[in-house]
Amino acid sequence: MKNAIVGQSGGPTAAINATLSGVIRGCFESKEIDKVYGMLNGIEGLFERRVCVLNDIMTSEADLVALEKTPAAALGSCRKKLPAIDTTDADDIEKYKKLFEILDEYNVGYFFYIGGNDSMDTIRKMSHFAKMFGSDIKFVGVPKTIDNDLDCTDHTPGYGSAAKYVATSVSEIIRDTAVYTVKAVTIVEIMGRDAGWLTASAALPTLFGKPAPDLVYLPEVPFSVDDFINDLKALLEKKPNIVVAVSEGVRDKHGAYIGESEQAGKIDAFGHKYLAGTGRVLESYVREYIGCKARTVEMSLLQRCAAHIASKTDIEESVRVGKYAVTLAVSGETGCMAAYERRAGSDYFCDCKKANIESVANVVRSVPRHFINSRGNNVTEDCLKWIAPLVEGESIPEFENGLPVHFSINR
Amino acid sequence: MKNAIVGQSGGPTAAINATLSGVIRGCFESKEIDKVYGMLNGIEGLFERRVCVLNDIMTSEADLVALEKTPAAALGSCRKKLPAIDTTDADDIEKYKKLFEILDEYNVGYFFYIGGNDSMDTIRKMSHFAKMFGSDIKFVGVPKTIDNDLDCTDHTPGYGSAAKYVATSVSEIIRDTAVYTVKAVTIVEIMGRDAGWLTASAALPTLFGKPAPDLVYLPEVPFSVDDFINDLKALLEKKPNIVVAVSEGVRDKHGAYIGESEQAGKIDAFGHKYLAGTGRVLESYVREYIGCKARTVEMSLLQRCAAHIASKTDIEESVRVGKYAVTLAVSGETGCMAAYERRAGSDYFCDCKKANIESVANVVRSVPRHFINSRGNNVTEDCLKWIAPLVEGESIPEFENGLPVHFSINR
């Protein structure tokens, strides 16, 4: 009987531990798998044999449930990229050989890696070298990213929870900004360098006739400062408080980031080039060309770690897709990713499916143009209908002494 | 039978609508009060006779409960300051006369104002002029502020909810920052220009042996950049990820705001003087003097409007103190504020009490020195024990379609 090993990689989300729990649950239930090891800090830790035995750590159902409601990566993460598949560098080949030696030491038959684009690339490479070295280890990836920009899956685990937090917080911000009669523009900067899925979620209340941002800008459409100012002026004629949701990654028609262009050449107190956030740059445009009060709220890390108001749909699906990855590996699949497929029909449900890793790795899935209105300053109803089921239900952790209970691997 | 009028003023909180609900509940239950008017945008709206009849708007228990879980000020707010009490300016006296005329038009006998320092000053002035004009109207203030810096009350409504959000979010941020092995300093900037109560709440997990910020800086103690850098260097010897909680209002030993000093003289793209946030300035110090990764999370508006994870204790008390204000007014009290008094003993409970408005208005209550450690880089156990009961319990709004249900006065 073989052992399994699981690792987490890339930026944390509120759901990546739910997927970890799913993989652990799948391994515990499988008759083909003996021990489940956890890589500490992903593949980076594996190189140093920094692993833990999850059978000794996750000793009760309560532990697994707590893990599912704990944000960030309980095993730690890394950003390590493995050498290219077509490398001819002997040192590079040595690295792969070392990894397989270590996996053999631990008698690993099943390797699970939870992460985004780069992590799926790791699965692709490892399964390639497994073939080359004649190794029997099965390599299966499980997606995660708040950006929802992975291909070959209906959506990504972690996106629904981040979207729920963004939509909830923006709803609250709108209430907050509505209390004064003085003209003011509030800009909410949301993560997403290349894909605007998360920013689009800020518009969700629109679908239900509730207060929503007045303007919504995604990186998929070139950003025009002139249009932005004109739209704002028209809106300020009608009401005093305007809320704008903007992706950090919006770019001008030449492809230059708005957050960079305006501040290029500016030097901070220490002589470093100053890169303002996109929100701050738009804020300065508002002050300059409109002259009213302007401020920025950056959702920053909060949007990816707010497990205290995660989407129940997202957390449940994340566990399910983790378990499904184990099913795939045990049935002999390798070099693939566990993914979601949305059922046709009006009742939302996602089945799990197998995705080809070659089609996933290193591809960014953008928001399609028809999900964005023609002026490029909001999303369409179709877009919101697509997002809406993903934020359904509340996954709230237990609270003890008024504070959320999180699970730690090193208790 | 007389009518009552209620207004909200100053910056929003997650609990100011709970206090409004308490005032409305108190008025509805009182046999001395006929109608309850709401001032739209506080005293500013009252000047323009912009009022609503709350009896027509709050028509069910469900409405009141939804109001209690809605962030910001449902009646709108303002920042208007009334002229000084000792004014001899005829125009100023006219303003007061006009306000009393309007109140008489609406047959108001009881005036409630929910707000912070400036709002209590409004109560002080209005009760003074009531005496001068021979008016019988009773003026009672009800506190609110996330800053917890009002005097003559154990704490302020709104503080507990903001503190719970800060402690919860910082706990999540700590999980997020802990996943990598690369040295990094994360600075969390928390509201509080003059008082560090809210920043202190970030340290709450310490009390229960959970991960908490490594360094905590309040405005009450002069901030030394040298000490900051030395403390960071010592911590980075022990672990790679450091989290710092800092009040936006920290100042150097000369009293200059850290958020201003470093950037003084810098000019932004439009020639405006650039005022960086305190977090960004500390971030640049970390890059310069330590050279590791550094980033800032500004809690911004989120910390004052996060009704989705409010403190149950805070919301319940906020309703109670609103009702108590009505009891005070109806029993003939005027020129006073409804306040909290903590019972002695180990079981936490706050009674409501009457506070003298002269002692409240325009006083800022700081965190006492013995609540801060001797090095000035964290708070003491006594401080955390004092804060802990205020964040107990979760007040979570209803969710519909995955989004929080808020109450709107203009439905």
Side-chain angles (χ1 to χ4, degrees), chain B residues 319-396:
Chain B
V319 174
R320 193 146 49 84
V321 77
K323 284 182 78 164
Y324 179 73
V326 178
T327 312
L328 283 177
V330 166
S331 69
E333 299 287 350
T334 187
C336 60
M337 179 180 89
Y340 295 140
E341 185 160 51
R342 196 183 292 222
R343 278 188 199 165
S346 58
D347 285 347
Y348 170 83
F349 189 81
C350 266
D351 293 299
C352 291
K353 67 163 186 180
K354 185 186 79 166
N356 185 341
I357 206 78
E358 295 292 337
S359 318
V360 176
N362 304 318
V363 176
V364 171
R365 188 181 57 153
S366 305
V367 177
R369 188 59 186 86
H370 71 274
F371 271 9
I372 304 169
N373 69 6
S374 58
R375 192 161 170 84
N377 67 8
N378 215 324
V379 292
T380 62
E381 194 178 327
D382 278 352
C383 176
L384 297 176
K385 280 184 177 165
W386 186 90
I387 297 171
L390 311 183
V391 307
E392 275 284 355
E394 292 70 53
S395 165
I396 293 168

Side-chain angles (χ1 to χ4, degrees), chain A residues 10-12 41 44 50 70-73 76-79 164-165 167-169 171-173 175-177 179-181 186 204-205 208 210 262-263 266-270 272 274 280 284-285 287-289 295-302 304-309 391-394 396 399-408, chain B residues 10-12 41 44 50 70-73 76-79 164-165 167-169 171-173 175-177 179-181 186 204-205 208 210 262-263 266-270 272 274 280 284-285 287-289 295-302 304-309 391-394 396 399-408:
Chain A
N41 302 109
E44 179 188 308
R50 287 195 289 113
T70 298
S77 183
C78 69
R79 293 215 179 264
K164 187 184 189 82
Y165 176 77
T168 297
S169 296
S171 294
E172 292 172 336
I173 288 170
R175 296 272 157 196
D176 187 288
T177 59
V179 304
Y180 294 121
T181 53
T186 304
L204 265 179
F208 310 104
K210 293 179 176 178
E262 195 48 44
Q263 300 281 338
K266 298 287 155 194
I267 301 294
D268 76 6
F270 300 111
H272 298 139
Y274 180 67
R280 304 277 179 207
S284 68
Y285 282 125
R287 284 215 198 83
E288 178 67 8
Y289 297 122
R295 63 187 155 186
T296 303
V297 180
E298 294 175 0
M299 288 288 189
S300 65
L301 298 187
L302 299 163
R304 75 179 192 196
C305 64
H308 70 269
I309 188 64
V391 308
E392 276 284 355
E394 291 70 54
I396 294 169
F399 276 74
E400 212 174 74
N401 304 305
L403 302 174
V405 176
H406 294 155
F407 185 85
S408 288
Chain B
N41 301 110
E44 179 189 307
R50 288 195 288 114
T70 298
S77 183
C78 70
R79 293 216 179 264
K164 186 183 188 81
Y165 177 77
T168 297
S169 296
S171 295
E172 292 172 337
I173 288 169
R175 295 272 158 195
D176 187 289
T177 58
V179 303
Y180 294 120
T181 52
T186 303
L204 265 178
F208 309 106
K210 293 177 177 182
E262 194 48 44
Q263 301 280 335
K266 296 288 155 196
I267 303 295
D268 75 7
F270 301 111
H272 298 140
Y274 181 68
R280 303 278 179 208
S284 67
Y285 282 124
R287 284 217 199 81
E288 178 67 10
Y289 297 122
R295 63 186 155 187
T296 303
V297 180
E298 295 175 0
M299 288 287 188
S300 66
L301 298 186
L302 299 163
R304 75 181 191 195
C305 64
H308 71 267
I309 190 63
V391 307
E392 275 284 355
E394 292 70 53
I396 293 168
F399 276 73
E400 212 174 73
N401 303 306
L403 303 174
V405 176
H406 294 153
F407 185 84
S408 288

Side-chain angles (χ1 to χ4, degrees), chain A residues 123 127 130-131 137-140 328-329 332-336 354 357:
Chain A
I123 289 293
S127 59
K131 223 177 273 176
I137 303 174
K138 309 301 176 205
F139 292 90
V140 178
L328 283 177
E333 299 287 350
T334 187
C336 60
K354 183 186 83 167
I357 206 78

Side-chain angles (χ1 to χ4, degrees), chain A residues 150-169:
Chain A
L150 274 187
D151 209 9
C152 303
T153 181
D154 180 77
H155 60 281
T156 55
Y159 170 66
S161 292
K164 187 184 189 82
Y165 176 77
V166 164
T168 297
S169 296

Side-chain angles (χ1 to χ4, degrees), chain B residues 223 225 250-252 256-262 278 281-282 285:
Chain B
F223 184 87
V225 175
V250 291
R251 274 161 264 195
D252 65 20
Y257 286 111
I258 298 294
E260 283 174 1
S261 57
E262 194 48 44
T278 302
V281 172
L282 296 190
Y285 282 124

